[in-house]
Amino acid sequence: MRKFFTTLSLICSLFAITSICQRPLKNVFAGHFRIGAALNEKQFTGRDKRGAGIVTTNFNTISPENVLKWEAIQPVEGKFDFSKADEYVAFGEKHKMFIVGHTLVWHNQTPKWVFEGPDGKQASKELLTKRLRDHIFKVVGRYKGKIGAWDVVNEAMNDDGSYRESEWFKILGKEYLALAFRFAHEADPPADLYYNDYSLEMAEKRRGTIEMVRWLLDQKAPIGGVGSQSHHRMEWPAIEDQEKTLTDLATLGLKIAITELDIDVLPNPSDYRGAEVSVNFERRPELDPFKKSFPAERQSALAKRYQDLFRVFVKHSKLIDRVTFWCVTDGDSWLNGWPVRGRTNHPLLWDRAGKPKPAFGAVVETAAGN
Ligand code: G3I
């Protein structure tokens, strides 16, 4: 009899663990924050049915990996192409998701014409301000009431806390930041307007960013939140720096979002920390050790790393509006091609077959109070 009950309780606890570990993330974190992912075109058009299924089952917020960037929307002055962005927004509306817009102002993926005058020389302040206003009014205005939050300005700061000397900065000075937020607010007053950047876990960059946001607030710029991209590595940042980033950003009294979470599991060619897209290193076999498979002990290490991070997110969930993964499955990740092209990375919760990895269960446990 005792054996029967022992076996029965073992079966019940296994069932309980399995059911917890397969609970949709949006249900698991319902009391804490929205949870989502960046979608590529195949997912929101339904061509990637498996990826779209993972998204609609687990997430209640979505971000666009590329289709709302300037080069995708207005590649040529005055010529707008909203076809893909419309499909992205329609997917979010159909599945009653909180829809994020990414991104209005960035130094990357912005066509050269934006910064050129009629004579081919540098555009004047007046011309660039007009272009900025026209683009933001056209894009934000189109999705008024549909897109709930915008990454208005992306990656305006350097790692040392100084302003990135982008074309935006060179022509307009730091004023471009305040202009962008004002134009976005005018176009859709209720939308949450974010500043978004990577490596805010670096103390100097975080200090400079907080200083910049305080300047925006002094200018009465309508900024509503700060997005911490969180493109992390296995060994960086330290968990205490992840926590300090949240508590330091919280001093601004604005919303905080974890906007582009992934964990690079591959060797780092030069201890580079960040997500500067233009960085690129020569591919060498020793930099691509998990091409064929991802060993069980690395799976467990990744699960622990995600669990440690989510324990901090859950602990400070009152500060966090949403946690968004950057892409859905390992095969979708930008990290397969950055900072070294042609590698096989394993940075997310679902593998290349769309199966949840041990990290999925480890993340679920942080909120299930286990
Ligand atoms: O659309 C063109 C296509 O026409 C062409 O055939 C193809 C081949 O070159 O390139 C396609 O453009 C690519 C684009 O993604 C869309 O797929 C670009 O080359 C490629 O550089 C671009 O990479 C994106 C990257 O931003 C650069 O902008 C990644 O997918 C995207 O995940 C990544 O996301 C950024 C965030 O927006 C900001 N934070 C950092 C994050 C990672 O870099």
Side-chain angles (χ1 to χ4, degrees), residues 65-66 69 71 102-103 106 108-109 154-155 196 198 229 231 260 275-277 326-327 334 338:
E65 188 181 12
N66 286 297
K69 290 171 179 172
E71 73 173 9
H102 171 85
T103 178
W106 192 20
N108 257 317
Q109 292 182 284
N154 199 44
E155 304 171 11
N196 186 50
Y198 60 79
Q229 290 183 12
H231 289 296
E260 305 184 13
E276 180 49 57
V277 179
W326 202 249
C327 303
W334 70 293
W338 184 92

Side-chain angles (χ1 to χ4, degrees), residues 124-133 172 179 183:
S124 67
K125 276 189 171 186
E126 295 68 28
L127 179 57
L128 185 56
T129 302
K130 180 183 181 310
R131 284 172 173 164
L132 176 63
R133 185 180 186 281
L172 295 173
L179 288 169
F183 295 152

Side-chain angles (χ1 to χ4, degrees), residues 16-240:
I17 290 168
T18 320
S19 58
I20 285 176
C21 288
Q22 279 162 11
R23 277 173 56 200
L25 293 182
K26 63 186 175 185
N27 300 350
V28 169
F29 292 104
H32 297 289
F33 34 68
R34 293 185 179 106
I35 191 149
L39 306 192
N40 61 37
E41 200 182 317
K42 288 179 294 179
Q43 284 145 0
F44 62 73
T45 57
R47 294 204 310 271
D48 172 8
K49 289 200 176 356
R50 187 179 64 195
I54 292 171
V55 171
T56 54
T57 303
N58 285 284
F59 299 132
N60 48 26
T61 177
I62 53 172
S63 295
E65 188 181 12
N66 286 297
V67 295
L68 263 169
K69 290 171 179 172
W70 194 308
E71 73 173 9
I73 294 289
Q74 194 185 179
V76 174
E77 184 158 22
K79 296 254 178 307
F80 290 84
D81 176 3
F82 288 106
S83 53
K84 295 175 182 170
D86 285 352
E87 287 194 85
Y88 160 74
V89 172
F91 178 92
E93 290 192 295
K94 179 181 174 190
H95 298 289
K96 299 185 176 27
M97 302 253 190
F98 182 82
I99 305 169
V100 175
H102 171 85
T103 178
L104 297 171
V105 180
W106 192 20
H107 63 282
N108 257 317
Q109 292 182 284
T110 303
K112 276 177 53 202
W113 66 260
V114 174
F115 307 108
E116 286 171 358
D119 53 4
K121 293 202 179 78
Q122 189 179 74
S124 67
K125 276 189 171 186
E126 295 68 28
L127 179 57
L128 185 56
T129 302
K130 180 183 181 310
R131 284 172 173 164
L132 176 63
R133 185 180 186 281
D134 291 351
H135 184 79
I136 290 179
F137 264 59
K138 191 97 172 174
V139 180
V140 176
R142 185 182 184 87
Y143 302 115
K144 183 172 181 173
K146 296 182 176 185
I147 287 184
W150 279 97
D151 289 341
V152 174
V153 178
N154 199 44
E155 304 171 11
M157 308 305 289
N158 292 319
D159 290 354
D160 65 0
S162 62
Y163 284 88
R164 180 191 295 270
E165 304 237 334
S166 66
E167 291 304 304
W168 293 107
F169 185 83
K170 282 184 217 159
I171 299 172
L172 295 173
K174 64 184 183 180
E175 190 59 26
Y176 84 91
L177 286 130
L179 288 169
F181 280 95
R182 287 190 192 113
F183 295 152
H185 182 68
E186 259 182 83
D188 187 359
D192 281 345
L193 303 180
Y194 280 77
Y195 172 73
N196 186 50
D197 212 334
Y198 60 79
S199 297
L200 295 183
E201 298 76 19
M202 289 178 176
E204 274 309 284
K205 185 165 190 176
R206 185 165 69 245
R207 180 198 50 74
T209 298
I210 288 173
E211 205 173 287
M212 177 273 287
V213 173
R214 287 200 193 289
W215 172 77
L216 282 172
L217 292 168
D218 291 345
Q219 301 296 309
K220 306 275 183 281
I223 180 170
V226 176
S228 181
Q229 290 183 12
S230 309
H231 289 296
H232 288 343
R233 312 187 51 71
M234 286 299 285
E235 74 294 336
W236 187 88
I239 289 300
E240 52 271 20

Side-chain angles (χ1 to χ4, degrees), residues 248-359:
D248 283 359
L249 290 176
T251 61
L252 290 164
L254 302 177
K255 291 184 177 182
I256 299 170
I258 304 294
T259 52
E260 305 184 13
L261 181 61
D262 47 27
I263 299 177
D264 188 342
V265 300
L266 295 180
N268 190 344
S270 76
D271 191 29
Y272 173 73
R273 292 175 192 159
E276 180 49 57
V277 179
S278 54
V279 165
N280 204 274
F281 297 92
E282 192 60 30
R283 187 179 176 288
R284 303 190 308 272
E286 65 274 20
L287 293 176
D288 196 14
F290 308 129
K291 206 147 193 65
K292 292 199 172 40
S293 67
F294 194 44
E297 50 88 21
R298 300 310 301 154
Q299 287 278 16
S300 313
L302 179 66
K304 168 121 183 24
R305 181 69 171 147
Y306 263 115
Q307 190 165 74
D308 291 346
L309 287 166
F310 266 80
R311 283 206 171 113
V312 171
F313 297 158
V314 168
K315 177 181 174 185
H316 295 282
S317 62
K318 286 189 176 33
L319 304 177
I320 298 173
D321 185 74
R322 63 185 156 93
V323 174
T324 295
F325 293 95
W326 202 249
C327 303
V328 180
T329 70
D330 289 341
D332 304 320
S333 176
W334 70 293
L335 288 171
N336 291 311
W338 184 92
V340 180
R341 286 201 181 81
R343 295 201 296 176
T344 303
N345 217 316
H346 305 268
L348 296 164
L349 300 190
W350 285 268
D351 64 19
R352 281 167 169 72
K355 294 274 175 292
K357 294 151 68 176

